[in-house]
Amino acid sequence: MVMCDNSVFSIFPPAPAQGTITVCEQHGGLLSSPAQSKPYKKLPGYPDVVLSGGGSSSLTHRENAKSAFLPHNETVWKRALHAWYEMGSPGVFEEIVNSSDEVPDWVAVLAKKTLTLVRWANSLHGSIFPHLSMSNEEIITEFSQIVNWSRSPVRAFAWHPHTLKFAYALGDDSIKVHSGKSDLVPTLKHKLQKNVADLAWQPQSASVLAVACQSCVLIWHVEPTSLATRPSTSSCQVLHQNNHAPVTCLAWDPSGRILLSASPVDTSLMAWDVPMETCIPLRRLGGGGVSLLRWSPDGSKVFSATPSQLFRVWETRRWTCEVWTKCTSRCKSACWSPDGRTLLFATENEPIIYSLTFSTNIDDTSTVIGGSQSAVVSVSLAEVDLKTEDGETTKVGGLVQSMVMDRHGERLAVTLHDDKGQVLPYIALFRTRTNPMLEITPCGLVQGEIGEYPLHVSFQPSFDRGALLSVVWSSGALRYVPLYFIPSGEIQNAHYHQPAPPTLNGNILSPIARHT
């Protein structure tokens, strides 16, 4: 991979002035207003909420969901016994490591070394990765797409793909569900719902929500017509697989038939048949685990990153994969174009967005993924000085924290952090085109109130007047930034091959190494 000398921020529009917030995009430009005037746009039907109230500010992590179900005077050994029932022997060592102040020093040291050894054995890889000696909470914080997960008021957030509804997890591991059609806000709690790291609504269903937890995946059935504010745990399925914990990432295929789950300490992806509560492990050696999943919108491919420098792209007919191994560090974030032909990704230590292109003219029986041989530098995000709207100068640019593309493939939102891990207080917004070739051009910077930085960004999937950027800010506020534009229609009307839905019945074959 080649470094890019020219930062895209050198041609960005002026940054918003200090004390202003970004309201919307109109006529091709971002509009800002003074924060004290509270110029937030109220969008009809969209819930206007502050996503806080159960956060980690008032509870330490070990006092959160566990405290709702276990007596406070339990000894570490009794808690370890509960952990053994839930997670097996790794859970025992995890509990002792987390309770090191309650046991002799030699016991804590022995438990930590044993936990490292167990995770190393489970990783099916011949070298020890640093993350294998971390606690569950440290692992989730390291690999979560939520900024500062362990201290964040919001631990996970997900829009429903078809209806105006979203769910979010709080610091006490409770989950709340908001709908634009109802003032009722169901709260989901379960004794296994601990260390929630990801949420994913099932496509083609109005009620099914998958939850990535410390020891399992929970499947909630939240009926839209129900008047219950606290659905019963009988509405919840438990999907558990030994040595597959903590679960930090989930991905449904676009048809809603298959759910993938991933753990940074397990090299196997789990492909779940949710109604049957069974799974097929997609095993591959190398990488130390799976840290990130992205299913392409057309359903034909799955991107999976590892805690190491390699990542894979799977085809979903026979579940073969191709491997890219020449990254300078682990892949931190990735997103697909709507047609599944372009993958954008960024690594942990380079201020660059790379792209890979894939063929869409492969028949349904092919085991060839058709990816380009090497990644291309698409955008440099190196730090530069940028003028603000009030004539001042500010520094912009850094390393990618997360990035998302809207459903039309015409807007790309990127959050950034500096080389010390501090998240920058704005979102870089780009205009994009993927047909006939990838183009990424500046749109502007999205800014919140003074002192806020973005924890999570996403696009509401069904907004029909362009794109709707939703931002969870560090204050716990959820705000919407409507981006008004007329979609070009290139993505919707492109004549690309529509692959058959993925299946779990194909043969699990050996990987195809792209780079060795």
Side-chain angles (χ1 to χ4, degrees):
M1 296 180 179
V2 181
M3 293 295 292
C4 186
D5 296 327
N6 299 320
S7 173
V8 71
F9 290 114
S10 63
I11 56 172
F12 249 64
Q18 181 80 353
T20 65
I21 63 170
T22 306
V23 178
C24 67
E25 177 192 348
Q26 208 163 34
H27 306 302
L30 293 177
L31 304 181
S32 299
S33 294
Q36 62 266 26
S37 65
K38 301 295 182 183
Y40 311 116
K41 282 188 173 292
K42 175 63 178 175
L43 297 175
Y46 284 82
D48 187 15
V49 296
V50 175
L51 312 184
S52 60
S56 56
S57 59
S58 59
L59 294 172
T60 66
H61 193 73
R62 288 181 58 247
E63 292 171 336
N64 54 24
K66 183 180 294 186
S67 64
F69 300 99
L70 298 180
H72 289 277
N73 59 354
E74 281 194 338
T75 66
V76 61
W77 309 114
K78 196 164 186 179
R79 294 199 302 270
L81 182 61
H82 284 290
W84 182 77
Y85 285 128
E86 293 178 7
M87 299 178 60
S89 56
V92 175
F93 300 125
E94 171 79 21
E95 181 61 45
I96 294 174
V97 169
N98 287 340
S99 308
S100 56
D101 56 336
E102 301 178 46
V103 298
D105 290 344
W106 68 269
V107 174
V109 171
L110 180 62
K112 186 169 185 177
K113 289 186 176 181
T114 306
L115 181 62
T116 300
L117 182 62
V118 169
R119 284 175 169 168
W120 169 78
N122 292 341
S123 73
L124 301 177
H125 195 268
S127 59
I128 297 179
F129 296 89
H131 71 282
L132 297 180
S133 62
M134 295 179 179
S135 68
N136 280 343
E137 182 174 347
E138 290 170 336
I139 288 173
I140 298 170
T141 300
E142 175 71 16
F143 298 107
S144 172
Q145 291 294 289
I146 292 284
V147 176
N148 297 327
W149 177 89
S150 61
R151 301 189 302 274
S152 172
V154 177
R155 298 288 177 83
F157 182 95
W159 283 103
H160 192 282
H162 312 303
T163 63
L164 209 167
K165 178 164 59 176
F166 62 82
Y168 59 93
L170 295 170
D172 63 355
D173 287 322
S174 64
I175 295 172
K176 294 185 180 295
V177 179
H178 284 264
S179 173
K181 298 180 180 179
S182 173
D183 293 330
L184 189 71
V185 181
T187 299
L188 312 179
K189 292 186 178 182
H190 193 284
K191 66 180 181 179
L192 297 179
Q193 194 167 286
K194 303 173 185 178
N195 286 349
V196 176
D198 198 13
L199 302 171
W201 290 97
Q202 182 183 27
Q204 315 302 328
S205 168
S207 62
V208 178
L209 175 67
V211 183
C213 303
Q214 174 176 293
S215 61
C216 61
V217 177
L218 296 180
I219 305 294
W220 282 97
H221 298 262
V222 188
E223 293 300 330
T225 57
S226 172
L227 298 178
T229 58
R230 180 76 182 271
S232 167
T233 54
S234 63
S235 304
C236 187
Q237 297 173 262
V238 179
L239 307 181
H240 173 77
Q241 182 72 7
N242 291 334
N243 303 322
H244 188 69
V247 181
T248 60
C249 201
L250 301 169
W252 289 95
D253 85 275
S255 69
R257 297 171 59 194
I258 302 171
L259 173 67
L260 294 180
S261 66
S263 170
V265 301
D266 186 3
T267 56
S268 297
L269 284 176
M270 296 299 163
W272 293 93
D273 182 333
V274 172
M276 298 298 295
E277 298 185 1
T278 59
C279 69
I280 295 177
L282 304 175
R283 292 190 176 95
R284 291 296 182 268
L285 294 177
V290 181
S291 57
L292 182 65
L293 289 176
R294 293 291 182 264
W295 207 310
S296 66
D298 70 340
S300 65
K301 292 175 287 293
V302 173
F303 167 87
S304 66
T306 72
S308 73
Q309 298 176 354
L310 69 84
F311 65 83
R312 298 178 175 89
V313 176
W314 301 73
E315 55 82 19
T316 59
R317 292 297 300 155
R318 294 184 177 272
W319 291 101
T320 62
C321 67
E322 295 177 356
V323 185
W324 281 261
T325 60
K326 296 185 179 180
C327 297
T328 59
S329 60
R330 77 173 177 91
C331 181
K332 186 70 176 284
S333 185
C335 63
W336 288 97
S337 64
D339 59 7
R341 299 199 308 181
T342 303
L343 173 71
L344 300 180
F345 70 93
T347 61
E348 194 173 29
N349 64 2
E350 292 180 296
I352 291 174
I353 296 176
Y354 291 99
S355 65
L356 286 170
T357 56
F358 297 84
S359 172
T360 57
N361 297 317
I362 299 174
D363 64 73
D364 293 337
T365 62
S366 174
T367 61
V368 177
I369 298 172
S372 51
Q373 290 290 330
S374 59
V376 175
V377 174
S378 294
V379 177
S380 169
L381 304 170
E383 185 179 83
V384 299
D385 291 327
L386 183 66
K387 290 287 187 182
T388 65
E389 292 175 344
D390 57 357
E392 301 294 324
T393 300
T394 186
K395 290 188 178 297
V396 298
L399 303 169
V400 173
Q401 173 68 34
S402 66
M403 57 183 172
V404 290
M405 184 177 286
D406 83 297
R407 68 185 179 94
H408 303 294
E410 299 194 18
R411 293 296 183 273
L412 176 71
V414 182
T415 60
L416 303 162
H417 65 88
D418 61 22
D419 54 9
K420 297 179 181 178
Q422 180 63 45
V423 179
L424 303 182
Y426 51 77
I427 302 153
L429 187 66
F430 298 89
R431 299 183 185 90
T432 54
R433 295 180 61 168
T434 56
N435 270 325
M437 59 184 296
L438 177 66
E439 295 180 14
I440 302 177
T441 56
C443 184
L445 298 179
V446 175
Q447 181 173 274
E449 294 188 0
I450 294 176
E452 288 183 328
Y453 56 86
L455 296 176
H456 181 274
V457 294
S458 55
F459 285 101
Q460 201 282 327
S462 57
F463 189 70
D464 59 2
R465 288 176 287 169
L468 182 64
L469 180 66
S470 65
V471 185
V472 179
W473 295 96
S474 55
S475 62
L478 170 66
R479 300 200 195 100
Y480 310 112
V481 182
L483 311 175
Y484 298 113
F485 62 89
I486 299 176
S488 66
E490 290 181 2
I491 296 298
Q492 300 92 316
N493 299 325
H495 297 289
Y496 61 88
H497 174 67
Q498 178 65 39
T503 177
L504 291 179
N505 297 324
N507 297 321
I508 307 301
L509 304 177
S510 299
I512 304 170
R514 297 293 285 178
H515 301 282
T516 58

